[in-house]
Amino acid sequence: SQTIHQWPATLVQPVGSPLSLECTVEGTSNPNLYWYRQAAGRGLQLLFYSVGIGQISSEVPQNLSASRPQDRQFILSSKKLLLSDSGFYLCAWSVQGKNTEAFFGQGTRLTVV
Amino acid sequence: AQSVTQLDSHVSVSEGTPVLLRCNYSSSYSPSLFWYVQHPNKGLQLLLKYTSAATLVKGINGFEAEFKKSETSFHLTKPSAHMSDAAEYFCVVGYSGGYQKVTFGTGTKLQVIP
């Protein structure tokens, strides 16, 4: 069966520090991968998605970047965190194709202080 | 273009009573529709999905939803609420363009009163 791992679960970082959140998927090949940010009362906002190694699409201009160095690994990064980067970050994957659902990781609560 | 509206940001029910979480959508295409549940500080779990097969979709934990094209609705129901159903629920609309094209609703927080 497929599983998705996302870490860390919580993170407190000072303003201006770098960020690296990692997500890995097991039990499937060539998944679509996604990073979302969730703000209270605003649903989920898609930040990045990837349909293959090295292929990253950015949905929202921001202080963050994403990379996909391996087929089942997706990394969310920042060189210098801002207070506004605080939030709940979710990684997800889906099978490539139409009408498919996504499967979510457990999320990372990031607090920038 | 597509959009989704969850009509209630908060719903409160007593344990053992029915649950109704409302969702309306708009889509230029034949939509796919999903309901997810999220418990505090957890990821989202798929409850059920509609992808142009049967209009009444049964999901996990006793939930079901009915696709009504004439009303552009996909309301989530459960006959009897359980304390463990307290969570936030998201309605999602998409189409065959892939999951990166879906649109999330803003969520409905369900409170279950003992």
Side-chain angles (χ1 to χ4, degrees):
Chain A
S1 64
Q2 301 90 2
T3 56
I4 179 169
H5 303 281
Q6 182 181 346
W7 68 94
T10 60
L11 189 60
V12 180
Q13 291 284 97
V15 169
S17 65
L19 173 72
S20 181
L21 302 182
E22 190 162 343
C23 173
T24 60
V25 180
E26 296 177 356
T28 188
S29 297
N30 199 28
N32 282 355
L33 295 170
Y34 311 87
W35 278 111
Y36 290 89
R37 179 165 55 202
Q38 186 175 21
R42 294 175 59 184
L44 271 71
Q45 179 185 40
L46 180 62
L47 301 176
F48 302 94
Y49 72 91
S50 171
V51 299
I53 296 174
Q55 300 179 60
I56 308 295
S57 296
S58 175
E59 292 295 299
V60 181
Q62 59 212 320
N63 185 42
L64 302 170
S65 63
S67 62
R68 185 172 178 173
Q70 301 181 47
D71 181 46
R72 291 170 289 178
Q73 183 185 27
F74 206 24
I75 298 171
L76 183 68
S77 303
S78 173
K79 293 182 179 178
K80 290 184 177 181
L81 284 169
L82 306 171
L83 286 173
S84 58
D85 292 323
S86 294
F88 193 56
Y89 290 83
L90 288 157
C91 180
W93 74 272
S94 72
V95 174
Q96 294 203 16
K98 59 183 180 181
N99 297 331
T100 60
E101 66 272 30
F103 301 91
F104 287 80
Q106 292 299 292
T108 296
R109 173 71 61 188
L110 172 66
T111 303
V112 182
V113 296
Chain B
Q2 63 192 23
S3 66
V4 59
T5 302
Q6 293 186 242
L7 296 160
D8 306 293
S9 58
H10 291 83
V11 170
S12 183
V13 301
S14 297
E15 189 176 17
T17 65
V19 176
L20 171 63
L21 304 183
R22 298 183 294 165
C23 173
N24 285 99
Y25 71 92
S26 68
S27 176
S28 303
Y29 306 90
S30 180
S32 297
L33 292 155
F34 310 85
W35 274 102
Y36 288 87
V37 61
Q38 183 182 33
H39 289 91
N41 292 308
K42 298 294 184 183
L44 278 69
Q45 180 185 18
L46 181 71
L47 283 175
L48 49 80
K49 68 175 183 179
Y50 165 79
T51 56
S52 75
T55 56
L56 182 62
V57 182
K58 294 187 182 297
I60 63 171
N61 301 335
F63 285 95
E64 62 181 37
E66 186 172 8
F67 173 70
K68 292 187 176 180
K69 186 175 180 179
S70 60
E71 299 177 10
T72 61
S73 69
F74 190 57
H75 301 335
L76 182 70
T77 61
K78 182 173 181 178
S80 177
H82 192 273
M83 293 300 295
S84 61
D85 295 328
E88 190 161 18
Y89 293 79
F90 291 94
C91 182
V92 179
V93 62
Y95 65 101
S96 60
Y99 200 84
Q100 58 269 26
K101 302 295 185 183
V102 304
T103 301
F104 280 80
T106 52
T108 298
K109 287 188 177 178
L110 175 65
Q111 180 185 22
V112 181
I113 302 168

PDB file of all heavy atoms in Angstrom, chain B residues 70-83:
ATOM      1  N   SER B  70     -28.831  19.520 -11.086  1.00  0.00           N
ATOM      2  CA  SER B  70     -29.776  20.630 -11.250  1.00  0.00           C
ATOM      3  C   SER B  70     -29.614  21.681 -10.163  1.00  0.00           C
ATOM      4  O   SER B  70     -29.900  22.858 -10.373  1.00  0.00           O
ATOM      5  CB  SER B  70     -31.206  20.091 -11.229  1.00  0.00           C
ATOM      6  OG  SER B  70     -31.473  19.444 -10.000  1.00  0.00           O
ATOM      7  N   GLU B  71     -29.143  21.249  -9.003  1.00  0.00           N
ATOM      8  CA  GLU B  71     -28.950  22.181  -7.891  1.00  0.00           C
ATOM      9  C   GLU B  71     -27.481  22.554  -7.709  1.00  0.00           C
ATOM     10  O   GLU B  71     -27.158  23.323  -6.810  1.00  0.00           O
ATOM     11  CB  GLU B  71     -29.485  21.543  -6.600  1.00  0.00           C
ATOM     12  CG  GLU B  71     -30.966  21.227  -6.644  1.00  0.00           C
ATOM     13  CD  GLU B  71     -31.469  20.537  -5.392  1.00  0.00           C
ATOM     14  OE1 GLU B  71     -30.709  20.457  -4.399  1.00  0.00           O
ATOM     15  OE2 GLU B  71     -32.620  20.067  -5.408  1.00  0.00           O
ATOM     16  N   THR B  72     -26.636  22.010  -8.515  1.00  0.00           N
ATOM     17  CA  THR B  72     -25.170  22.166  -8.397  1.00  0.00           C
ATOM     18  C   THR B  72     -24.727  21.992  -6.950  1.00  0.00           C
ATOM     19  O   THR B  72     -24.012  22.824  -6.384  1.00  0.00           O
ATOM     20  CB  THR B  72     -24.678  23.509  -8.966  1.00  0.00           C
ATOM     21  OG1 THR B  72     -25.282  24.596  -8.242  1.00  0.00           O
ATOM     22  CG2 THR B  72     -24.998  23.643 -10.433  1.00  0.00           C
ATOM     23  N   SER B  73     -25.188  20.899  -6.363  1.00  0.00           N
ATOM     24  CA  SER B  73     -24.860  20.657  -4.964  1.00  0.00           C
ATOM     25  C   SER B  73     -24.251  19.283  -4.769  1.00  0.00           C
ATOM     26  O   SER B  73     -24.440  18.361  -5.580  1.00  0.00           O
ATOM     27  CB  SER B  73     -26.111  20.791  -4.101  1.00  0.00           C
ATOM     28  OG  SER B  73     -27.013  19.726  -4.346  1.00  0.00           O
ATOM     29  N   PHE B  74     -23.529  19.161  -3.682  1.00  0.00           N
ATOM     30  CA  PHE B  74     -22.899  17.883  -3.308  1.00  0.00           C
ATOM     31  C   PHE B  74     -22.830  17.867  -1.787  1.00  0.00           C
ATOM     32  O   PHE B  74     -21.766  17.924  -1.191  1.00  0.00           O
ATOM     33  CB  PHE B  74     -21.513  17.774  -3.956  1.00  0.00           C
ATOM     34  CG  PHE B  74     -20.875  16.411  -3.846  1.00  0.00           C
ATOM     35  CD1 PHE B  74     -21.508  15.285  -4.340  1.00  0.00           C
ATOM     36  CD2 PHE B  74     -19.612  16.256  -3.275  1.00  0.00           C
ATOM     37  CE1 PHE B  74     -20.913  14.029  -4.254  1.00  0.00           C
ATOM     38  CE2 PHE B  74     -19.007  15.005  -3.186  1.00  0.00           C
ATOM     39  CZ  PHE B  74     -19.666  13.896  -3.675  1.00  0.00           C
ATOM     40  N   HIS B  75     -23.971  17.804  -1.158  1.00  0.00           N
ATOM     41  CA  HIS B  75     -24.045  17.879   0.302  1.00  0.00           C
ATOM     42  C   HIS B  75     -23.638  16.561   0.952  1.00  0.00           C
ATOM     43  O   HIS B  75     -23.976  15.482   0.467  1.00  0.00           O
ATOM     44  CB  HIS B  75     -25.462  18.239   0.738  1.00  0.00           C
ATOM     45  CG  HIS B  75     -25.966  19.541   0.207  1.00  0.00           C
ATOM     46  ND1 HIS B  75     -25.133  20.584  -0.169  1.00  0.00           N
ATOM     47  CD2 HIS B  75     -27.232  19.973  -0.025  1.00  0.00           C
ATOM     48  CE1 HIS B  75     -25.851  21.592  -0.593  1.00  0.00           C
ATOM     49  NE2 HIS B  75     -27.132  21.253  -0.524  1.00  0.00           N
ATOM     50  N   LEU B  76     -22.963  16.676   2.074  1.00  0.00           N
ATOM     51  CA  LEU B  76     -22.482  15.522   2.831  1.00  0.00           C
ATOM     52  C   LEU B  76     -23.455  15.239   3.972  1.00  0.00           C
ATOM     53  O   LEU B  76     -23.828  16.168   4.706  1.00  0.00           O
ATOM     54  CB  LEU B  76     -21.088  15.815   3.383  1.00  0.00           C
ATOM     55  CG  LEU B  76     -20.393  14.698   4.157  1.00  0.00           C
ATOM     56  CD1 LEU B  76     -20.002  13.564   3.203  1.00  0.00           C
ATOM     57  CD2 LEU B  76     -19.160  15.236   4.867  1.00  0.00           C
ATOM     58  N   THR B  77     -23.826  13.994   4.138  1.00  0.00           N
ATOM     59  CA  THR B  77     -24.763  13.631   5.196  1.00  0.00           C
ATOM     60  C   THR B  77     -24.307  12.391   5.939  1.00  0.00           C
ATOM     61  O   THR B  77     -23.503  11.596   5.437  1.00  0.00           O
ATOM     62  CB  THR B  77     -26.167  13.370   4.614  1.00  0.00           C
ATOM     63  OG1 THR B  77     -26.093  12.268   3.692  1.00  0.00           O
ATOM     64  CG2 THR B  77     -26.727  14.582   3.917  1.00  0.00           C
ATOM     65  N   LYS B  78     -24.838  12.284   7.151  1.00  0.00           N
ATOM     66  CA  LYS B  78     -24.625  11.089   7.962  1.00  0.00           C
ATOM     67  C   LYS B  78     -25.848  10.955   8.860  1.00  0.00           C
ATOM     68  O   LYS B  78     -26.290  11.947   9.453  1.00  0.00           O
ATOM     69  CB  LYS B  78     -23.352  11.201   8.790  1.00  0.00           C
ATOM     70  CG  LYS B  78     -23.054   9.946   9.615  1.00  0.00           C
ATOM     71  CD  LYS B  78     -21.702  10.020  10.303  1.00  0.00           C
ATOM     72  CE  LYS B  78     -21.445   8.735  11.098  1.00  0.00           C
ATOM     73  NZ  LYS B  78     -20.111   8.738  11.758  1.00  0.00           N
ATOM     74  N   PRO B  79     -26.426   9.777   8.958  1.00  0.00           N
ATOM     75  CA  PRO B  79     -27.686   9.637   9.710  1.00  0.00           C
ATOM     76  C   PRO B  79     -27.551   9.930  11.200  1.00  0.00           C
ATOM     77  O   PRO B  79     -28.482  10.455  11.806  1.00  0.00           O
ATOM     78  CB  PRO B  79     -28.066   8.168   9.479  1.00  0.00           C
ATOM     79  CG  PRO B  79     -27.291   7.732   8.292  1.00  0.00           C
ATOM     80  CD  PRO B  79     -26.026   8.525   8.304  1.00  0.00           C
ATOM     81  N   SER B  80     -26.403   9.608  11.764  1.00  0.00           N
ATOM     82  CA  SER B  80     -26.262   9.721  13.206  1.00  0.00           C
ATOM     83  C   SER B  80     -24.836  10.136  13.548  1.00  0.00           C
ATOM     84  O   SER B  80     -23.886   9.401  13.274  1.00  0.00           O
ATOM     85  CB  SER B  80     -26.585   8.370  13.861  1.00  0.00           C
ATOM     86  OG  SER B  80     -26.384   8.427  15.259  1.00  0.00           O
ATOM     87  N   ALA B  81     -24.699  11.294  14.144  1.00  0.00           N
ATOM     88  CA  ALA B  81     -23.364  11.826  14.446  1.00  0.00           C
ATOM     89  C   ALA B  81     -22.741  11.102  15.630  1.00  0.00           C
ATOM     90  O   ALA B  81     -23.414  10.774  16.613  1.00  0.00           O
ATOM     91  CB  ALA B  81     -23.455  13.318  14.738  1.00  0.00           C
ATOM     92  N   HIS B  82     -21.451  10.927  15.515  1.00  0.00           N
ATOM     93  CA  HIS B  82     -20.660  10.334  16.590  1.00  0.00           C
ATOM     94  C   HIS B  82     -19.655  11.376  17.056  1.00  0.00           C
ATOM     95  O   HIS B  82     -19.241  12.239  16.279  1.00  0.00           O
ATOM     96  CB  HIS B  82     -19.948   9.074  16.066  1.00  0.00           C
ATOM     97  CG  HIS B  82     -19.338   8.244  17.136  1.00  0.00           C
ATOM     98  ND1 HIS B  82     -18.075   8.474  17.619  1.00  0.00           N
ATOM     99  CD2 HIS B  82     -19.815   7.173  17.813  1.00  0.00           C
ATOM    100  CE1 HIS B  82     -17.800   7.595  18.561  1.00  0.00           C
ATOM    101  NE2 HIS B  82     -18.831   6.797  18.698  1.00  0.00           N
ATOM    102  N   MET B  83     -19.261  11.275  18.310  1.00  0.00           N
ATOM    103  CA  MET B  83     -18.309  12.249  18.848  1.00  0.00           C
ATOM    104  C   MET B  83     -17.042  12.329  17.998  1.00  0.00           C
ATOM    105  O   MET B  83     -16.463  13.407  17.814  1.00  0.00           O
ATOM    106  CB  MET B  83     -17.943  11.910  20.287  1.00  0.00           C
ATOM    107  CG  MET B  83     -19.084  12.058  21.280  1.00  0.00           C
ATOM    108  SD  MET B  83     -19.726  13.735  21.332  1.00  0.00           S
ATOM    109  CE  MET B  83     -18.297  14.618  21.969  1.00  0.00           C
TER     110      MET B  83
END
